[in-house]
Amino acid sequence: MEELTRAEERIMQIVWKLKKAFVNDIIEEMEEEPKPPYNTISSIVRILEKKGYLNYKAYGKTYEYYPAIGKDAYTRTTFSKLFSGYFDNSPVNLLSFMVKEQTLSETDIEELKALINKNEK
């Protein structure tokens, strides 16, 4: 699975959310102002189609795009690369990083403890 640029990933997030979309639907869903030009988004969508992330259904000269790769599959692959590249495939290193960076609330920690205890049984 080929890696995505930030712009490509942002568009995939929108298409996963909408399940199917025309380029105008994608632009409409984008939060930034001013909205990016139609041709820019259309070009990125075509790149995503060539990379195998999107399929389309043609309606004359108009194309409706839908995901060819599910968000879960992409998440697993991306996380696996992150996990091995930055945390040496070590859950301890990952959790240690999260605790040190204070990204875990007390509730998060309690839920993780419960999950670990449940997994031990």
Side-chain angles (χ1 to χ4, degrees):
M1 187 179 300
E2 195 172 341
E3 286 193 44
L4 299 179
T5 65
R6 270 190 196 174
E8 291 167 349
E9 189 171 310
R10 185 175 54 169
I11 288 172
M12 282 305 302
Q13 292 289 348
I14 292 170
V15 177
W16 282 319
K17 177 183 173 186
L18 298 176
K19 297 188 178 32
K20 57 184 179 177
F22 297 97
V23 172
N24 280 330
D25 297 330
I26 294 167
I27 294 168
E28 191 175 303
E29 195 69 21
M30 296 178 126
E31 294 180 6
E32 65 261 16
E33 292 293 337
K35 301 287 187 191
Y38 181 94
N39 289 343
T40 301
I41 302 306
S42 180
S43 294
I44 296 170
V45 166
R46 285 193 306 274
I47 291 167
L48 287 165
E49 189 263 324
K50 286 179 183 154
K51 286 184 173 183
Y53 282 87
L54 291 176
N55 285 326
Y56 64 88
K57 184 174 181 181
Y59 299 95
K61 292 182 179 182
T62 303
Y63 297 92
E64 183 178 43
Y65 295 93
Y66 58 92
I69 293 174
K71 185 175 182 178
D72 288 343
Y74 179 74
T75 300
R76 271 191 298 280
T77 301
T78 304
F79 181 75
S80 292
K81 288 177 186 175
L82 176 80
F83 189 56
S84 66
Y86 290 95
F87 302 104
D88 300 322
N89 287 319
S90 168
V92 173
N93 289 347
L94 173 63
L95 287 174
S96 174
F97 173 80
M98 293 171 73
V99 169
K100 287 177 186 173
E101 293 298 315
Q102 300 175 341
T103 58
L104 295 176
S105 68
E106 289 297 323
T107 304
D108 292 334
I109 292 169
E110 292 305 317
E111 288 176 7
L112 284 169
K113 286 179 185 177
L115 183 63
I116 290 167
N117 290 335
K118 180 181 174 185
N119 204 26
E120 287 178 345
K121 294 178 183 177

